Amino acid sequence: MKLFENINELNGTLENSVITIGNFDGVHKGHQALFQQTIKKAKKINGISIVITFDPHPLRALGKSGPPLITRRDQKIELIQLANVDYIFCLPFTKEFAQTPPKDFIHNLLVAKLGMKAIIVGPDYLFGKNREGNIELLKKEGEKLDFSVIVPEWINDTKTGTNRISSTLIRKLVMDGMVSDIPEYLGRYYQIRGKVIRGRNRGGRQLGFPTANIKLYDELCPKFGVYAVKVECAEGIYPGVANIGYSPTFDDHIFTIEVHILNGFSSDIYGTRIRVNIIERLRDEKKFSGIAELSDQIHKDIEKTQELFKGLIE
Ligand code: RBF
Ligand code: MG
């Protein structure tokens, strides 16, 4: 597996390749299926498999706001790497690049530079200047330049009855707090990443539940509330309970993402980066009449989480 973060890093040209291209935000099961089909086709022709993706998101590069990303650059690359394709190109999407006419993109990059013999893309794939390139154009150019165009059907979403898995659907589920539905689409839990920063030092001292306060690195934040989570830090992987919101019991109105790690975890993790896998939504945040009531409730949240983890197969 070779990763290129700029096309200029590739000396010379490649040959006999099967390529899939997309933004692949979230690297969901639909994307994963495209990667597997790319690998399969490459084996069939004794060639190499290539994933091409972009960063930043094209809409951002063009100065539009764009959706909150499910996976930022590094996580997206890590997840694509799990697919075991031969080459990953994570190319900078710039305003200049956006001006590339679709035919130039096909001729200069895909065919001349990367030696494309087959391309595998989703049914709605559009590309090039003004998104003028489409599957029809690919097929026409494919006849001239001797590559095939493979367009797999959408993967059915048996849960909602809609006929495709999409990044848009996944974003909505996360924002609605429907996190336990996520593994069905991502093949993993939704994960947020961030750095542990100093909080108000109230959790441990006043409540009896020390929390790691997280400065979010990710863009997509689950709906406010309390969640059962699995925390990955340098020390290992631990169950935890997280609160996302404004802690309405207190009147400071400060947005925080806090995690209390279970089983007496007491390592100093200030300043380190942690990953929090969001497993299940437990409840809404509530304004309690006092610290004792809040503390009682957190006890219950922890019990529920421990039960949940007993039932989880790793
Ligand atoms: N604060 C609230 O005001 N209402 C809540 O319902 C609430 N639930 C929480 C649940 C968990 C599992 C944790 C770890 C924290 C919760 N908090 C809640 C935040 C709590 O007030 C905060 O951790 C302390 O004030 C320390 O910053
Ligand atoms: Mg804290």
Side-chain angles (χ1 to χ4, degrees), residues 206-207 248-250 286-298:
Q206 286 191 36
L207 274 178
T249 304
F250 304 90
K286 260 172 62 184
K287 184 174 172 69
F288 287 93
S289 56
I291 285 177
E293 289 74 17
L294 172 57
S295 177
D296 280 352
Q297 178 59 52
I298 294 177

Side-chain angles (χ1 to χ4, degrees), residues 150-262:
I150 302 167
V151 182
E153 291 288 304
W154 297 120
I155 292 193
N156 271 326
D157 168 9
T158 44
K159 202 150 192 155
T160 63
T162 50
N163 68 344
R164 61 174 294 195
I165 291 175
S166 70
S167 303
T168 309
L169 167 73
I170 293 164
R171 281 184 204 110
K172 185 171 178 339
L173 288 172
V174 172
M175 291 189 284
D176 290 345
M178 310 278 283
V179 296
S180 51
D181 288 347
I182 292 295
E184 171 139 352
Y185 302 107
L186 290 185
R188 59 178 194 275
Y189 295 109
Y190 180 62
Q191 181 183 82
I192 54 174
R193 298 180 172 191
K195 196 171 170 176
V196 180
I197 53 171
R198 300 239 165 231
R200 285 150 294 188
N201 201 13
R202 188 169 61 200
R205 236 188 26 226
Q206 286 191 36
L207 274 178
F209 297 106
T211 61
N213 293 45
I214 299 166
K215 186 175 184 297
L216 193 64
Y217 166 73
D218 275 287
E219 296 181 354
L220 178 64
C221 182
K223 182 182 177 180
F224 296 168
V226 180
Y227 293 90
V229 300
K230 196 163 78 181
V231 181
E232 298 176 27
C233 57
E235 280 77 5
I237 301 179
Y238 303 90
V241 276
N243 184 64
I244 300 177
Y246 286 87
S247 313
T249 304
F250 304 90
D251 286 320
D252 38 19
H253 310 286
I254 300 169
F255 175 76
T256 52
I257 300 178
E258 299 177 66
V259 189
H260 170 70
I261 303 176
L262 303 192

Side-chain angles (χ1 to χ4, degrees), residues 36-71:
Q36 291 320 311
Q37 291 176 59
T38 302
I39 291 170
K40 203 167 137 196
K41 178 71 180 170
K43 284 207 175 111
K44 214 163 165 182
I45 66 165
N46 260 315
I48 55 173
S49 53
I50 300 180
V51 173
I52 300 178
T53 191
F54 304 99
D55 187 84
H57 192 282
L59 284 172
R60 296 294 164 77
L62 297 174
K64 298 172 188 157
S65 65
L69 294 178
I70 303 166
T71 47

